[in-house]
Amino acid sequence: MARGEVRADGTVPSARERGYARRVVNRLAARYPEIGTALEYANPFELLVSTVISAQTTDENVNRATPELFARWPTPDDLAAADPEEVEGVIFSTGFYRQKTRSIIALSQNLVDRYGGVVPDDMAELVTLKGVGRKTASVVLAEAFGQPAIAVDTHVRRITNRLSLTVEDDPTRIEQDLKALVPKHEWQHLSMRIIQFGRDTCSARKPRCWDCELAGLCPFEPKSLPPD
């Protein structure tokens, strides 16, 4: 059996379930034919650090902080040797700045010590870096290296459950379910399409069901009504 065919519960999706997923994916692709992360970066190292910093804040906040960060410490060697207090001052506005500072300095040290300062393009290696989980690693693999990877954040978790593409809550199990349903060539851009769809239409508090091209497919109830 090919990798990616089995869901988290060990079952294989039916042809009908894969057909439904294909319709969802096709509509998202038609809406967002060109899609990518909103984080601004020049190389895999910058994307890796920016993605770690993006936890619990907006991409806009990260993009305001990182130009100074990378101007002062442009390489893993530079950031590995940085004064933590100075780094904290640069990324203070992104929140949780002490924890993030520890993570990005430590992951830079990991890169220098283990990989000669080069960001690996392998999931198993990326997740050994300080502060890097599967979500962050998947973003880097998909965006910086063009590899098939699915990053599961709160938008992806919420929307895939609403669409009944999964019943799982754990991000790793959701990732496995999506990989079982969606062809591998669609994985690279799927997360970013779902995330943007969540920001534009399928919000947490009040999804715009009345203005959604997936409404006819989506089993989520009750559907939100348009404002008066």
Side-chain angles (χ1 to χ4, degrees):
M1 185 173 293
R3 183 182 178 186
E5 288 188 0
V6 180
R7 284 184 290 217
D9 63 3
T11 62
V12 177
S14 66
R16 181 177 180 180
E17 289 169 327
R18 286 201 176 102
Y20 167 69
R22 184 170 59 251
R23 290 193 294 275
V24 170
V25 169
N26 287 345
R27 292 193 189 188
L28 290 173
R31 178 165 179 171
Y32 304 110
E34 301 295 330
I35 193 73
T37 179
L39 294 171
E40 297 172 358
Y41 67 97
N43 53 57
F45 172 65
E46 290 189 5
L47 178 59
L48 177 61
V49 170
S50 296
T51 306
V52 172
I53 296 173
S54 71
Q56 303 298 313
T57 191
T58 65
D59 292 345
E60 290 78 8
N61 279 342
V62 177
N63 290 339
R64 282 193 286 269
T66 51
E68 180 180 353
L69 179 73
F70 297 131
R72 295 179 63 175
W73 303 286
T75 69
D77 292 87
D78 296 320
L79 193 53
D83 182 330
E85 289 189 3
E86 292 184 21
V87 176
E88 288 174 4
V90 173
I91 68 169
F92 175 83
S93 61
T94 69
F96 302 96
Y97 60 94
R98 289 194 177 93
Q99 177 183 339
K100 292 176 182 180
T101 294
R102 288 194 296 270
S103 291
I104 63 176
I105 289 178
L107 76 81
S108 297
Q109 292 168 345
N110 294 161
L111 288 173
V112 172
D113 294 341
R114 300 178 197 166
Y115 302 107
V118 177
V119 177
D121 60 353
D122 177 80
M123 172 67 77
E125 294 178 332
L126 282 168
V127 297
T128 67
L129 302 174
K130 176 68 175 179
V132 178
R134 287 191 67 87
K135 183 189 79 171
T136 295
S138 294
V139 170
V140 173
L141 290 174
E143 297 293 312
F145 296 111
Q147 292 189 18
I150 298 177
V152 178
D153 73 345
T154 55
H155 289 292
V156 175
R157 181 171 57 194
R158 177 180 73 253
I159 292 167
T160 55
N161 270 269
R162 283 178 175 174
L163 288 167
S164 292
L165 294 172
T166 183
V167 296
E168 303 291 346
D169 189 58
D170 176 73
T172 301
R173 292 175 70 86
I174 293 171
E175 178 188 343
Q176 187 172 346
D177 282 0
L178 293 176
K179 287 181 174 180
L181 284 167
V182 178
K184 194 170 185 177
H185 68 271
E186 297 284 0
W187 294 358
Q188 181 185 350
H189 301 298
L190 181 61
S191 297
M192 292 304 166
R193 285 176 173 140
I194 294 175
I195 290 168
Q196 194 60 51
F197 177 68
R199 291 169 175 165
D200 295 342
T201 301
C202 198
S203 63
R205 293 186 179 180
K206 188 175 182 180
R208 296 173 57 86
C209 299
W210 66 90
D211 190 32
C212 175
E213 55 263 76
L214 297 180
L217 298 175
C218 178
F220 174 74
E221 294 291 347
K223 295 286 194 296
S224 296
L225 300 175
D228 296 332

